[in-house]
Amino acid sequence: MTPTSAAPTAEDARVAAFEARIAAGESIEPKDWMPERYRKQLIRMMSQHAHSEVVGMLPEGNWITRAPSLRRKMSLIAKVQDEGGHGLYIYCGAETLGVDRHDLVEQLLNGTAKYSSIFNYPTLSWADMGVIGWLVDGAAIVNQTILAKTSYGPYARAMIRICKEENFHKRQGYEIVTTLARGTPAQRAMVQDAVNRFWWPSLMMFGPSDTDSPNSGELLRWKVKRKTNDELRQRFVNLTIPQVQAVELTVPDPDLHYDATSGNWEFGAIDWTEFNQVIRGNGPCNKERLDARRAAHEDGQWVREAATAYAEKHASRATEAA
Amino acid sequence: MTDSQWPLWEVFTQGATGEPFEHAGSVHAADAEQALQNARDVYARRGEAVNLWVVPSTAIVASAPSDAGPFFEPGNDKAYRHPQFYKVPKGVKVF
């Protein structure tokens, strides 16, 4: 029997039942049967997402000691701690698919895992903290608000939790941007420069164009994704441009214009060569980010050992006392 | 280099006294005390909980989704367990 003429199998029936559940809007839970491909795609998406949260702590952690006031410093520490928490929510969700967090972290540290390309750009000024909170977290919110309706229950629940917290990130970022935009000419110039550097990388965060997104069809059919990359990117631009105008800044796109027919802010062509270079590890900070992550992991080794030793000591005392 | 994957604990949070405990997620921890501390840091950074439970994941016993139909069937065909099953005279407020 050749594969092309194969009669319907038990596997086909299970896939059909699974797809019927998805079509009916049901959530898939960890112990439910799912096609191997669905499981693999989710592990890939969720681990990349978790890695992005963890690596995302680095560009901002870089500025904690140089925050301009105690208020800003407290906010930034809280935000960076949230990003670590978000990484943990999603690793925890990924583990329900039968992978170990340990293995996922190992893939990040040995450089085989991908994470969001945005974090491979340097944070050169304090204004970058504002612009990252506003644009990068703003883009993440657009993406994650839709992911909160994804078909895999644990991922959706992690996204709902994350979305609530991201709103603080975005507002604190926009507050920094507003303050600088209304400040001295030097402060205005600094924040405009930050927008100029982060605008295009923020648009790239939504991933390749729909015409060049090999996984999208399947992911949309299984309702892992609920909107395409381009739809989400357009939504982000439409939401953001009025915020840019409100603080009298500009985005570095001479082709940007409002289209009254579609109601969209039409933007210029994205430099996908740059995107692909950064994804492949050739961005400005890829090596620096991974080196910093590895150092943090190794520097934390004694803490993990101490916690294990403490737990063992207490367990053995409890046994002796019994 | 030892880089242990500590045991997994399921975390349940109670949002306010009197409310039920809800599953929030999981944490890895070397022991129960550390599991509680990690659960607090991960799932209660903004006053989301007034109480926490942590339970070793291996201690959870769950129903099997494949048997969900027959398993829950006894509760599905007993309309007389719902108040709407019972007729009351028109215009009378029963509750």
Side-chain angles (χ1 to χ4, degrees):
Chain A
M1 193 165 73
T2 64
T4 46
S5 64
T9 62
E11 173 81 2
D12 294 335
R14 286 201 291 187
V15 171
F18 171 83
E19 295 197 337
R21 287 190 64 198
I22 301 256
E26 282 186 45
S27 276
I28 305 302
E29 293 296 332
K31 294 179 73 186
D32 294 347
W33 184 87
M34 61 187 87
E36 238 0 74
R37 181 91 186 135
Y38 179 85
R39 186 185 300 276
K40 283 214 173 91
Q41 287 280 25
L42 271 165
I43 291 170
R44 180 185 65 84
M45 270 181 77
M46 292 177 79
S47 60
Q48 285 180 13
H49 194 162
H51 297 329
S52 302
E53 301 285 352
V54 169
V55 177
M57 292 193 279
L58 299 171
E60 292 181 306
N62 190 26
W63 277 91
I64 288 173
T65 56
R66 290 173 287 168
S69 69
L70 185 57
R71 184 174 184 273
R72 294 283 190 234
K73 183 180 287 201
M74 288 191 307
S75 302
L76 191 56
I77 291 172
K79 179 181 190 296
V80 171
Q81 190 193 10
D82 274 353
E83 305 299 1
H86 295 178
L88 289 173
Y89 301 157
I90 309 171
Y91 283 131
C92 141
E95 286 194 309
T96 64
L97 292 160
V99 287
D100 277 344
R101 185 181 72 188
H102 171 84
D103 296 334
L104 301 178
V105 170
E106 189 53 42
Q107 288 163 13
L108 173 65
L109 296 178
N110 70 23
T112 53
K114 281 186 188 164
Y115 55 86
S116 181
S117 57
I118 192 86
F119 301 117
N120 289 319
Y121 291 88
T123 44
L124 303 177
S125 75
W126 169 251
D128 290 10
M129 296 305 98
V131 169
I132 285 179
W134 172 34
L135 297 183
V136 175
D137 288 76
I141 291 170
V142 167
N143 197 21
Q144 290 169 163
T145 307
I146 301 299
L147 272 176
K149 296 172 203 148
T150 189
S151 58
Y152 189 56
Y155 198 15
R157 292 193 284 276
M159 285 304 109
I160 290 166
R161 198 174 281 278
I162 288 176
C163 283
K164 283 185 194 158
E165 301 185 355
E166 292 279 6
N167 283 325
F168 137 60
H169 300 175
K170 182 176 174 181
R171 281 180 74 112
Q172 68 90 35
Y174 195 55
E175 188 189 275
I176 293 171
V177 168
T178 307
T179 306
L180 293 172
R182 291 178 183 159
T184 65
Q187 287 172 324
R188 268 196 76 75
M190 182 167 77
V191 73
Q192 180 63 62
D193 170 66
V195 173
N196 292 349
R197 284 182 287 108
F198 278 97
W199 176 251
W200 289 111
S202 299
L203 296 196
M204 293 176 198
M205 281 176 70
F206 295 94
S209 165
D210 296 348
T211 53
D212 188 30
S213 182
N215 295 312
S216 275
E218 184 178 65
L219 293 175
L220 285 165
R221 186 160 50 92
W222 283 336
K223 295 188 182 170
V224 173
K225 279 184 162 186
R226 308 299 302 257
K227 300 255 184 214
T228 70
N229 295 351
D230 286 337
E231 284 171 336
L232 292 170
R233 190 168 9 248
Q234 185 65 60
R235 182 176 160 73
F236 170 71
V237 173
N238 290 353
L239 284 169
T240 307
I241 294 302
Q243 296 161 5
V244 175
Q245 293 172 328
V247 289
E248 296 176 340
L249 294 169
T250 58
V251 297
D253 180 357
D255 296 327
L256 184 85
H257 64 278
Y258 185 72
D259 182 74
T261 320
S262 64
N264 287 332
W265 282 92
E266 305 279 350
F267 49 94
I270 291 174
D271 181 358
W272 294 115
T273 315
E274 175 182 322
F275 174 78
N276 287 324
Q277 281 297 317
V278 179
I279 286 282
R280 288 195 193 115
N282 302 320
C285 297
N286 294 57
K287 184 177 181 309
E288 187 184 328
R289 297 291 181 241
L290 275 189
D291 286 349
R293 190 61 228 132
R294 280 190 204 110
H297 192 75
E298 281 159 24
D299 290 349
Q301 181 63 22
W302 73 269
V303 180
R304 293 190 291 275
E305 284 170 3
T308 305
Y310 181 84
E312 281 166 1
K313 187 174 81 177
H314 277 254
S316 67
R317 278 196 190 153
T319 317
E320 280 163 28
Chain B
M1 181 165 111
T2 63
D3 187 17
S4 57
Q5 172 92 321
W6 290 323
L8 196 61
W9 304 71
E10 298 301 322
V11 178
F12 298 81
T13 55
Q14 186 187 33
T17 55
E19 286 185 2
F21 282 73
E22 278 188 8
H23 184 241
S26 62
V27 291
H28 285 278
D31 62 13
E33 184 187 358
Q34 196 200 351
L36 269 179
Q37 290 167 350
N38 289 355
R40 175 202 58 197
D41 292 346
V42 177
Y43 295 103
R45 283 195 301 281
R46 289 175 173 78
E48 294 97 331
V50 294
N51 278 302
L52 283 176
W53 289 347
V54 290
V55 183
S57 299
T58 50
I60 302 245
V61 181
S63 58
S66 51
D67 297 338
F71 187 73
F72 293 107
E73 194 276 331
N76 287 341
D77 61 348
K78 294 176 179 62
Y80 50 87
R81 285 180 173 166
H82 296 280
Q84 293 77 7
F85 183 76
Y86 300 94
K87 294 182 178 72
V88 292
K90 254 195 179 148
V92 178
K93 222 175 160 182
V94 182
F95 298 104

